[in-house]
């Protein structure tokens, strides 16, 4: 048998001098170790995924600058000190400022995830919102310890929360890009755990570098609140640097052709959102119930950390340095429990983890309120117990939903996850401020947060884990 030119041909029908397929690095690696090329490809893909998981987790590590330093243990504690106004009054004002931020998020966030998905610019908007938060944190340097600067401080905290949540919409949606169905609980827990560990490291830097010594690094002292204000600069740079890897390691999201949708205008996005929710109600009603329940208890979880440092200082007499020491211990507890429970999440299912964590939170929070006259030992024991449960509840909530999402609709449903969460994000700040106002003392705010957590737990009980992996 010959080819058209008279050359002998092989049995496959191709001429003997037919150009072979290009020789790839994977082919060479496979030949060297004597395995199939597909196995080498699988190993390379696994290596790439590990790198993406680490880069994704480093964003959480960097975001600790806002979660731990700004909104929980340093700046909000500074902002609610006597330098800015009477105790009880400034705490309530902080609560109202965060409640307004929550309402703004509820109005604007519903379409941010949807529009970033349809435009295929998820990573782009994560970057934009991340570095707006960095800029806002830098601006906190200008908040001096004087009542005339209280409004500026409240506006910056509220605005930072708005843009941080916008960034979180895209960050959470990336979970399905860096994990597999079998590892999603562990990866989710790794991300939250990285956030807590990053918080530990940064708080140590801030505490020993600026807050604890009379004269800190670069000659910084506590005069004029300079130690806290410089800590805001350090925190902004921390976030700016550690957020970078995810933008290089994780590819930009491109919606599959099977679920791609045309771009629509901003207001038309709300009409589309309404149709999406109606369709989800018809087809995946159990998912809608979980979105509602998780929205409530996640806001309670956010309230635990948002007002934890404030309560430690104003109710239990912690100094700014002692608040940071407690924060370090709290992040150690939360980080260890979150990473450990992430493994159990994949084995036992997410709902048992969430239920156990919420029950623990309600009991611990109630003990803090009832025993508040017991002094700092009460806050150390019950407060650390709270931290033991917060991280696992946050991580398992994200992985529970990821397992329920119908194939090809991850971005849409994670957008709704963020939407529902932000739609009620005023609950914990409002409940905190309302109970402080009614009770006339800051410790009454604890009851407001416990009430929100208990409501979320009650709403979660009837939710069915309809898929085996989310039981």
């Amino acid at each position: 048998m010959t080819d058209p030119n008279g050359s002998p041909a092989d049995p496959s029908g191709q001429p003997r001098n037919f150009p072979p397929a290009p020789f790839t690095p994977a082919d060479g690696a496979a030949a060297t170790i004597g395995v199939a090329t597909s196995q080498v490809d699988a190993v390379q893909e696994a290596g790439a995924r590990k790198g993406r998981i680490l880069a994704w987790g480093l964003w959480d590590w960097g975001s600790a600058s806002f979660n731990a330093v700004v909104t929980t243990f340093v700046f909000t504690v500074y902002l609610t000190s006597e330098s800015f106004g009477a105790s009880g009054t400034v705490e309530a004002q902080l609560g109202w400022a965060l409640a307004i931020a929550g309402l703004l998020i509820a109005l604007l966030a519903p379409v941010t995830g949807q529009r970033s998905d349809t435009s295929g610019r998820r990573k782009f908007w994560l970057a934009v919102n991340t570095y707006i938060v960095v800029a806002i944190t830098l601006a906190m340097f200008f908040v001096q310890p004087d009542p005339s600067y209280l409004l500026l401080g409240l506006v910056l905290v509220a605005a930072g929360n708005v843009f941080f949540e916008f960034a979180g919409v895209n960050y959470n949606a990336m979970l399905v890009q860096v994990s597999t169905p079998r590892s999603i609980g562990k990866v989710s827990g790794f991300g939250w755990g990285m956030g807590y560990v990053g918080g530990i490291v940064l708080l140590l830097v801030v505490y020993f570098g600026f807050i604890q010594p009379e004269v800190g690094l670069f000659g910084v002292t506590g005069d004029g609140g300079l130690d806290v204000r410089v800590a805001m600069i350090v925190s902004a740079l921390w976030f700016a640097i550690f957020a970078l890897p995810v933008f290089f390691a994780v590819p930009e999201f491109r919606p599959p052709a099977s679920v791609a949708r045309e771009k629509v205008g901003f207001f038309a996005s709300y009409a589309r959102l309404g149709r999406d929710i109606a369709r989800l109600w018809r087809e995946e009603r159990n998912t809608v119930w979980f979105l509602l329940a998780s929205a409530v208890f996640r806001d309670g979880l956010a309230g635990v950390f948002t007002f934890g440092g404030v309560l430690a200082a104003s109710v239990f007499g912690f100094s700014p340095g002692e608040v940071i020491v407690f924060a370090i211990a709290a992040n150690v507890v939360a980080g260890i429990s979150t990473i450990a429970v992430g493994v159990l999440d994949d084995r036992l299912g997410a709902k048992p983890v969430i239920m156990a964590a919420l029950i623990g939170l309600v009991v611990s929070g109630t003990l803090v309120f009832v025993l508040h006259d017991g002094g700092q030992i009460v806050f150390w024991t019950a407060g650390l117990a709270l931290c033991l449960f917060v991280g696992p509840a946050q991580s398992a909530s994200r992985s529970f939903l990821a397992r329920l999402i119908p194939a090809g609709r991850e971005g849409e449903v994670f957008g709704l996850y963020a939407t529902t969460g932000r739609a009620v994000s005023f609950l914990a700040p409002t409940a905190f401020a309302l109970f402080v106002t009614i009770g006339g003392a800051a410790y009454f705010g604890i009851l407001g947060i416990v009430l929100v957590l208990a409501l979320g737990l009650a709403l979660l009980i009837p939710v069915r884990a309809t898929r085996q992996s989310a039981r």
Side-chain angles (χ1 to χ4, degrees):
M1 183 177 177
T2 60
D3 66 16
N5 297 319
S7 301
D10 66 18
S12 68
Q14 297 291 1
R16 288 182 179 175
N17 61 355
F18 188 84
F23 192 74
T24 67
D27 294 326
T32 300
I33 61 177
V35 300
T37 300
S38 59
Q39 290 182 263
V40 175
D41 289 336
V43 171
Q44 291 176 335
E45 174 62 26
R49 187 178 295 278
K50 288 181 180 179
R52 291 172 185 175
I53 292 171
L54 177 60
W56 182 77
L58 283 174
W59 188 93
D60 239 327
W61 172 288
S63 73
S65 67
F66 192 79
N67 282 328
V69 178
V70 174
T71 64
T72 307
F73 296 115
V74 180
F75 190 75
T76 52
V77 173
Y78 167 69
L79 199 61
T80 53
S81 66
E82 293 183 354
S83 298
F84 291 91
S87 178
T89 301
V90 288
E91 289 91 347
Q93 288 177 319
L94 174 64
W96 291 122
L98 292 176
I100 293 170
L103 289 174
L104 288 174
I105 293 166
L107 291 173
L108 298 174
V111 297
T112 56
Q114 178 198 107
R115 293 177 65 81
S116 66
D117 281 352
T118 55
S119 66
R121 306 186 76 187
R122 177 181 294 166
K123 187 167 68 172
F124 171 80
W125 286 112
L126 174 61
V128 169
N129 289 304
T130 294
Y131 288 100
I132 289 176
V133 174
V134 168
I136 289 172
T137 307
L138 283 172
M140 291 176 181
F141 171 80
F142 299 102
V143 180
Q144 299 183 35
D146 186 273
S148 62
Y149 285 89
L150 176 61
L151 179 59
L152 173 61
L154 293 174
V155 169
L156 290 174
V157 170
N161 271 271
V162 171
F163 287 101
F164 187 81
E165 291 300 332
F166 287 172
V169 169
N170 297 290
Y171 178 73
N172 285 337
M174 278 187 174
L175 174 61
V176 294
Q177 293 176 243
V178 298
S179 64
T180 66
R182 292 186 177 182
S183 67
I184 199 165
K186 183 167 62 177
V187 172
S188 181
F190 173 74
W192 282 109
M194 285 287 283
Y196 288 124
V197 175
I200 296 168
V201 177
L202 181 56
L203 286 168
L204 285 171
V205 171
V206 168
Y207 180 67
F208 289 107
F210 303 100
I211 305 296
Q212 192 272 338
E214 291 186 9
V215 179
L217 298 174
F218 314 113
V220 171
T221 67
D223 294 341
L226 189 61
D227 49 357
V228 173
R229 292 159 56 204
V230 171
M232 294 304 100
I233 296 177
V234 174
S235 298
L237 295 176
W238 180 274
F239 197 6
I241 293 170
F242 287 109
L244 285 174
V246 72
F247 304 121
F248 293 100
V250 180
E252 180 59 277
F253 171 75
R254 296 288 183 244
S258 58
V259 296
R261 297 190 290 184
E262 64 177 348
K263 298 179 183 179
V264 296
F266 180 78
F267 293 105
S269 297
Y270 284 93
R272 172 179 283 177
L273 179 69
R275 293 191 297 270
D276 289 346
I277 294 174
R279 185 173 68 254
L280 197 64
W281 175 257
R282 292 192 304 269
E283 300 173 2
E284 296 282 343
R285 190 165 301 183
N286 190 63
T287 303
V288 175
W289 284 118
F290 177 73
L291 288 170
L292 175 62
S294 70
V296 175
F297 71 69
R298 282 185 290 134
D299 194 52
L301 297 174
V304 170
F305 271 119
T306 299
F307 297 105
V310 173
L311 290 168
S314 61
V315 176
F316 295 93
F318 281 56
S319 68
E322 289 172 331
V323 169
I324 295 178
V325 172
F326 175 82
I328 293 169
N331 276 269
V332 170
V333 171
I336 293 173
S337 66
T338 304
I339 294 172
V341 174
V343 177
L344 293 178
D345 182 335
D346 286 324
R347 294 181 180 179
L348 304 177
K351 186 177 178 181
V353 171
I354 302 171
M355 293 287 292
L358 291 178
I359 292 171
L361 284 162
V362 169
V363 172
S364 300
T366 302
L367 287 174
V368 173
F369 175 78
V370 172
L371 303 175
H372 71 273
D373 286 332
Q376 293 188 1
I377 187 64
V378 171
F379 196 80
W380 268 104
T381 52
L384 288 180
L386 280 166
C387 297
L388 183 69
F389 300 114
V390 169
Q394 291 171 320
S395 174
S397 175
R398 181 166 62 184
S399 65
F400 184 98
L401 182 62
R403 294 185 177 102
L404 289 177
I405 299 174
R409 293 174 59 187
E410 293 85 1
E412 174 188 332
V413 179
F414 262 115
L416 290 173
Y417 181 70
T419 294
T420 52
R422 292 307 95 203
V424 300
S425 62
F426 60 90
L427 281 179
T430 301
F432 180 88
L434 186 61
F435 273 77
V436 170
T437 302
I438 293 173
Y443 67 86
F444 275 92
I446 301 169
L447 285 180
I449 297 173
V450 168
L451 179 63
V452 174
L453 290 168
L455 177 59
L457 173 61
L459 291 171
L460 179 65
I461 291 173
V463 174
R464 302 185 314 277
T466 55
R467 300 190 184 190
Q468 182 68 12
S469 58
R471 61 186 181 278

